Amino acid sequence: SQTIHQWPATLVQPVGSPLSLECTVEGTSNPNLYWYRQAAGRGLQLLFYSVGIGQISSEVPQNLSASRPQDRQFILSSKKLLLSDSGFYLCAWSSTLGLEYFGAGTRLSVL
Amino acid sequence: EDQVTQSPEALRLQEGESSSLNCSYTVSGLRGLFWYRQDPGKGPEFLFTLYSAGEEKEKERLKATLTKKESFLHITAPKPEDSATYLCAVPTGTASKLTFGTGTRLQVTL
């Protein structure tokens, strides 16, 4: 069966520091991969998606970037965090059916 | 532009008090509608997929239905453990992206 791993679960970072969140998927090949951000009490905002290695599409302009160095690995990065980058970050994968399966999420607090 | 709207934003029920959550959508060429449950501090968990008007799916106290314009999540005799945020989503665009509603936050009290 397929599983998705996302870490860390919680992260507290100072303003201006770099960020790297990692997500890996097991049990499937060539998945579509997604990064979402969820602000408190709000819906899911799609940040990036990828349909293959090295293929990244950005949905909103921002201080973040994404990379997909391997088929089942998706990384969310920032060179310098802003206060506004705080939030709950979710990684997800989908098959060709479109249904997305989510990781446990990372709570990022930028202080 | 594809849109998904959920109502109400928040719903408070007493245990055993049945109700329905609404998800209305505007999308060209529906390719499915998904319901998720999200507990605080966790990722959304898949509940149901509906593909065509008239389709119904059930799981324990939950039943999802679909029409050409909206979907309902019916909760029968809810229990406190049903408290969560319920999200609906539809595939949009050409790359299997989902458009999510903002969710209904359900609280079931004793």
Side-chain angles (χ1 to χ4, degrees):
Chain A
S1 64
Q2 301 88 357
T3 55
I4 179 169
H5 303 279
Q6 186 182 342
W7 68 93
T10 305
L11 191 59
V12 180
Q13 293 284 97
V15 170
S17 64
L19 173 74
S20 181
L21 302 181
E22 189 165 340
C23 171
T24 59
V25 181
E26 294 178 358
T28 186
S29 59
N30 196 32
N32 291 338
L33 297 172
Y34 309 85
W35 279 111
Y36 289 88
R37 178 168 57 205
Q38 187 174 35
R42 301 188 65 181
L44 295 167
Q45 179 187 37
L46 180 63
L47 302 176
F48 301 95
Y49 69 92
S50 172
V51 299
I53 296 174
Q55 300 178 60
I56 308 295
S57 296
S58 174
E59 288 293 291
V60 293
Q62 58 204 316
N63 184 43
L64 302 168
S65 62
S67 62
R68 184 171 178 173
Q70 300 180 40
D71 181 45
R72 290 169 288 179
Q73 183 185 30
F74 205 22
I75 298 172
L76 183 68
S77 303
S78 173
K79 292 182 179 178
K80 289 185 178 182
L81 284 169
L82 306 172
L83 287 174
S84 58
D85 292 324
S86 294
F88 189 52
Y89 289 83
L90 287 158
C91 179
W93 74 274
S94 77
S95 65
T96 53
L97 295 176
L99 175 61
E100 293 181 19
Y101 298 91
F102 287 83
T106 295
R107 174 74 57 193
L108 172 65
S109 298
V110 182
L111 306 176
Chain B
E1 183 181 336
D2 298 337
Q3 284 191 328
V4 179
T5 304
Q6 290 189 248
S7 61
E9 278 190 27
L11 181 62
R12 186 181 174 117
L13 300 173
Q14 286 195 322
E15 185 175 15
E17 180 186 1
S18 302
S19 188
S20 297
L21 283 53
N22 178 265
C23 171
S24 62
Y25 59 89
T26 304
V27 61
S28 53
L30 184 68
R31 289 173 280 155
L33 185 141
F34 307 124
W35 281 100
Y36 290 85
R37 169 190 170 128
Q38 186 176 23
D39 292 304
K42 296 187 177 181
E45 178 185 337
F46 167 70
L47 290 174
F48 302 110
T49 304
L50 301 166
Y51 286 107
S52 57
E55 189 175 359
E56 298 183 353
K57 294 276 181 72
E58 285 190 65
K59 181 180 179 180
E60 296 181 352
R61 295 175 293 281
L62 300 176
K63 183 169 78 172
T65 61
L66 182 66
T67 72
K68 289 185 178 179
K69 294 183 178 181
E70 57 193 348
S71 177
F72 292 93
L73 186 64
H74 307 277
I75 302 177
T76 301
K79 298 181 177 182
E81 52 262 44
D82 295 321
S83 298
T85 296
Y86 291 86
L87 299 163
C88 68
V90 296
T92 58
T94 58
S96 295
K97 296 184 293 181
L98 292 182
T99 295
F100 281 85
T102 52
T104 293
R105 191 170 61 255
L106 173 66
Q107 184 180 11
V108 182
T109 59
L110 293 171

